[in-house]
Amino acid sequence: MAGGKVSLDAKAINRILDINERAARNTITRHNKDVKGIKTNIPLEVEMPPEVKSAPGITPPPSAIDYLRTNPSMKGAFDAKYGAGAADRALKGR
């Protein structure tokens, strides 16, 4: 297979979604640059949608939760990887 070993786990799917998000934003930016200054009675520029910061759908494995419990100073890194508030949820057992 040309792409090597392909898996569709949560990490791979989120990577694909991230690539698609960046491509869509780039397309909107290029479009808006191309139509800027064109005089018309209808707006040609497209509004950029809000950026999604968290990574929904990624469930931290038990080993990551155990590591967080023994290293609570890693809450920031845990939230960066698993989404905002994930560290607090994991530490509370939810």
Side-chain angles (χ1 to χ4, degrees), residues 9-51:
D9 59 4
K11 183 178 178 183
I13 291 171
N14 279 315
R15 175 90 171 113
I16 292 167
L17 291 172
D18 180 58
I19 291 168
N20 189 49
E21 172 82 11
R22 286 184 285 134
R25 289 182 174 283
N26 189 37
T27 299
I28 292 170
T29 300
R30 281 192 334 260
H31 167 79
N32 286 343
K33 183 180 175 187
D34 290 345
V35 300
K36 189 175 184 99
I38 296 176
K39 303 292 184 201
T40 180
N41 60 349
I42 59 170
L44 296 177
E45 291 190 36
V46 178
E47 185 176 323
M48 188 70 70
E51 199 168 329

Side-chain angles (χ1 to χ4, degrees), residues 63-78 87 91:
S63 59
I65 295 170
D66 291 340
Y67 183 82
L68 176 66
R69 287 186 177 134
T70 57
N71 301 281
S73 63
M74 298 299 294
K75 283 177 65 173
F78 195 90
L91 291 172

